[in-house]
Amino acid sequence: MIKPKIGFIVYGVHKDGLADPMGAPFIDDALVAGAKKALKAAGLELVTHDVVVASKAEAKECFARFKKMDDVDAVVLFSGTWVWAAHLVGALRDFAGGGKGIVLWTNPGSQGWRPVGGLVMHGAMKEIGLPHRFVYGDYKDPKEIEKITSYCRAGAMKRRLNLSTIGTFGGRGMGQTCGAADPSQWMKTFGVDIDSRDTTELLKATEDVTAKEIAAARKAIQKKFAEKIPEDKTSERSIRLYLAIRKLVQKNGWDFYTIQSFPGLGDEYSATCFAQSMMLDEGMGTSTLGDFNTAMTVKLLTDLSAEPVYYGDLQHIDKAKKEIKIIGDGACPPSLAGKLGPAGFAEHGIPTEGQAGGISVKLVCKVGEGVLARLGRNDGQFEMVITRCSIFEPPAEQLAKRQRECGIPFWPHGFVTAHCDMDALLESWNNEYACLGYGPHLYEELIAFCQQTGIKAIAL
């Protein structure tokens, strides 16, 4: 889970203890201390600039310092009192060229003239087109603090993606039209390179996996499951494929990846669902069918959440109850199993998909609050659909019946209540897949990520 590193900068011309005509210092040191404490409590790591910025020289020195700090994800400009915008905006423009996030924060209050300092900078930055988030809110208000932290965490995510690589094993799976990627568009929007491989190297890597490696993997995997891992050729191939994928992802320096699955590997060697489940559980962003848009969504949710991500089909939608069943073809992180039972094993494979078979994961996703989201394109332009949701478990006595409804009861199930207009959701959705992330904070962070990358956010 990302913990952003943030530059905290106080600005204002009436500083160094200068008092107003009533005898009170223009800059309230206790207020500044409270603001910093609130940000730290919300999970931000602060790098504080000790000089209150007022002059051009101070601004140049301040922003040059943070510009050179590669591990800083964003800066928070805290209005201490009023300021001459021209003294700051040039240096701020130069800093913004590095693509890091900028939050302009004003804590309300008449004393100190903080709103004046905040609004003059907000206007100056708008005047010259500097992207930023303007927050006018009390540090004691969690909702206002979330406006700051979500933007900073999204900025950290944007920075993490820059210069990263997504790998792809094979080509487009199952005729996916709404998951294909334009490498130039990905580089322009995210700074991400696409590195393509066919599956011959992967198949060779499965052959190179040793018996000792398989034995060690079985021991580690077994801890995630209550039932014994099947001991047959099909299960061995599933484990070999998982180890081979993990090796090649590391060897190639990929930050996340997608895999064709079928037609191809799933028909000729082994279904990929078990390997995908294990990689998801280890915090690796991935997707099936060469679906790049799902892979990016999973990457975002994985890095921004403390829990692994489940992606699967929007298999059934009950508009009246606002209930959605997410059922994936055997790929689900085993650690998401809930109180209805620990993760188990099932056999993957139906006549039209994955005829080679393979073990898959069987579970019902645990209770929690989170989001459903997916990146997609509309007429070639990126957009992301995002809605809040609650994950629930049906009553134990109803579970078997609910699982049989889809005709494939042994695949992983996620039962979700969406908190949105269902007609709007269906009209906006861009694929059969849904990506389920745990954590209510993800909603605002995905919106902020879209704002910083020029993606249209459809926040329902």
Side-chain angles (χ1 to χ4, degrees), residues 41-60:
L44 302 186
E45 180 183 351
L46 299 191
V47 180
T48 302
H49 191 67
D50 294 332
V51 175
V52 176
V53 176
S55 68
K56 287 185 178 181
E58 289 169 343
K60 288 178 182 178

Side-chain angles (χ1 to χ4, degrees), residues 89-108:
V89 73
L92 190 56
R93 174 188 173 277
D94 180 71
F95 169 81
K100 296 180 179 181
I102 301 171
V103 177
L104 185 61
W105 182 16
T106 298
N107 199 100

Side-chain angles (χ1 to χ4, degrees), residues 207-394:
E207 297 171 0
D208 293 339
V209 174
T210 66
K212 184 177 180 181
E213 289 175 315
I214 292 175
R218 279 182 172 274
K219 185 176 180 180
I221 293 167
Q222 189 62 73
K223 298 175 183 178
K224 301 174 183 288
F225 296 87
E227 63 184 87
K228 194 174 187 299
I229 303 171
E231 294 188 15
D232 53 27
K233 191 66 175 178
T234 299
S235 302
E236 182 182 314
R237 283 188 170 187
S238 294
I239 295 172
R240 282 181 177 272
L241 185 58
Y242 155 55
L243 295 175
I245 288 174
R246 190 167 66 173
K247 283 183 179 181
L248 290 183
V249 166
Q250 183 176 4
K251 174 187 173 184
N252 295 328
W254 293 346
D255 299 279
F256 56 127
Y257 75 95
T258 185
I259 189 166
Q260 181 175 340
S261 301
F262 41 79
L265 279 171
D267 299 312
E268 300 163 7
Y269 182 77
S270 173
T272 62
C273 50
F274 182 74
Q276 295 296 87
S277 299
M278 295 299 101
M279 295 298 283
L280 288 166
D281 212 55
E282 293 174 10
M284 171 60 65
T286 185
S287 72
T288 313
L289 305 181
D291 184 345
F292 285 86
N293 293 333
T294 291
M296 175 58 79
T297 312
V298 173
K299 172 67 172 172
L300 297 176
L301 294 173
T302 298
D303 287 7
L304 292 169
S305 176
E307 301 278 3
V309 177
Y310 175 37
Y311 65 86
D313 291 337
L314 287 166
Q315 200 277 329
H316 177 68
I317 300 166
D318 186 325
K319 293 201 299 181
K321 294 181 179 178
K322 295 190 174 184
E323 180 185 303
I324 297 173
K325 280 195 300 185
I326 304 174
I327 308 177
D329 55 349
C332 186
S335 61
L336 290 185
K339 294 181 179 179
L340 289 175
F345 297 101
E347 174 73 16
H348 181 277
I350 55 178
T352 56
E353 301 170 9
Q355 296 179 52
I359 53 174
S360 62
V361 174
K362 180 181 180 180
L363 59 77
V364 175
C365 289
K366 64 185 179 182
V367 170
E369 298 297 319
V371 299
L372 290 178
R374 188 179 180 275
L375 178 71
R377 291 193 292 183
N378 190 333
D379 196 20
Q381 301 302 308
F382 282 124
E383 60 184 27
M384 184 181 290
V385 187
I386 314 161
T387 184
R388 300 181 190 273
C389 70
S390 299
I391 307 96
F392 69 93
E393 294 176 316

Side-chain angles (χ1 to χ4, degrees), residues 179-188 192 194 292-293 377 380 382:
D182 175 352
S184 297
Q185 186 182 31
W186 271 57
M187 178 55 68
K188 179 180 179 180
V192 174
I194 296 176
F292 285 86
N293 293 333
R377 291 193 292 183
F382 282 124

Side-chain angles (χ1 to χ4, degrees), residues 24-259:
F26 273 95
I27 296 180
D28 186 339
D29 290 336
L31 181 69
V32 173
K36 290 192 289 187
K37 184 178 179 180
L39 294 182
K40 290 177 182 178
L44 302 186
E45 180 183 351
L46 299 191
V47 180
T48 302
H49 191 67
D50 294 332
V51 175
V52 176
V53 176
S55 68
K56 287 185 178 181
E58 289 169 343
K60 288 178 182 178
E61 181 179 355
C62 170
F63 291 111
R65 174 196 176 198
F66 287 112
K67 185 177 180 180
K68 295 171 184 174
M69 296 178 68
D70 292 336
D71 58 344
V72 165
D73 299 301
V75 294
V76 174
L77 297 175
F78 188 82
S79 174
T81 179
W82 76 59
V83 75
W84 289 25
H87 289 178
L88 275 64
V89 73
L92 190 56
R93 174 188 173 277
D94 180 71
F95 169 81
K100 296 180 179 181
I102 301 171
V103 177
L104 185 61
W105 182 16
T106 298
N107 199 100
S110 184
Q111 185 278 327
W113 295 69
R114 293 184 300 275
V116 175
L119 288 167
V120 74
M121 286 304 302
H122 181 44
M125 293 168 73
K126 290 177 68 176
E127 186 79 22
I128 66 170
L130 286 187
H132 65 288
R133 172 168 284 186
F134 179 57
V135 177
Y136 186 86
D138 197 301
Y139 74 82
K140 298 176 183 177
D141 187 339
K143 291 184 178 179
E144 299 297 337
I145 291 297
E146 186 182 30
K147 293 177 183 177
I148 299 170
T149 58
S150 63
Y151 201 78
C152 290
R153 283 168 55 77
M157 188 69 239
K158 176 187 173 187
R159 193 178 74 84
R160 178 175 291 195
L161 285 176
N162 190 47
L163 297 179
S164 68
T165 301
I166 180 172
T168 173
F169 291 113
R172 184 175 64 165
M174 289 183 64
Q176 276 276 354
T177 297
C178 43
D182 175 352
S184 297
Q185 186 182 31
W186 271 57
M187 178 55 68
K188 179 180 179 180
T189 305
F190 307 114
V192 174
D193 182 45
I194 296 176
D195 187 9
S196 304
R197 296 280 197 282
D198 61 31
T199 56
T200 55
E201 184 184 18
L202 181 55
L203 285 171
K204 176 63 168 59
T206 63
E207 297 171 0
D208 293 339
V209 174
T210 66
K212 184 177 180 181
E213 289 175 315
I214 292 175
R218 279 182 172 274
K219 185 176 180 180
I221 293 167
Q222 189 62 73
K223 298 175 183 178
K224 301 174 183 288
F225 296 87
E227 63 184 87
K228 194 174 187 299
I229 303 171
E231 294 188 15
D232 53 27
K233 191 66 175 178
T234 299
S235 302
E236 182 182 314
R237 283 188 170 187
S238 294
I239 295 172
R240 282 181 177 272
L241 185 58
Y242 155 55
L243 295 175
I245 288 174
R246 190 167 66 173
K247 283 183 179 181
L248 290 183
V249 166
Q250 183 176 4
K251 174 187 173 184
N252 295 328
W254 293 346
D255 299 279
F256 56 127
Y257 75 95
T258 185
I259 189 166

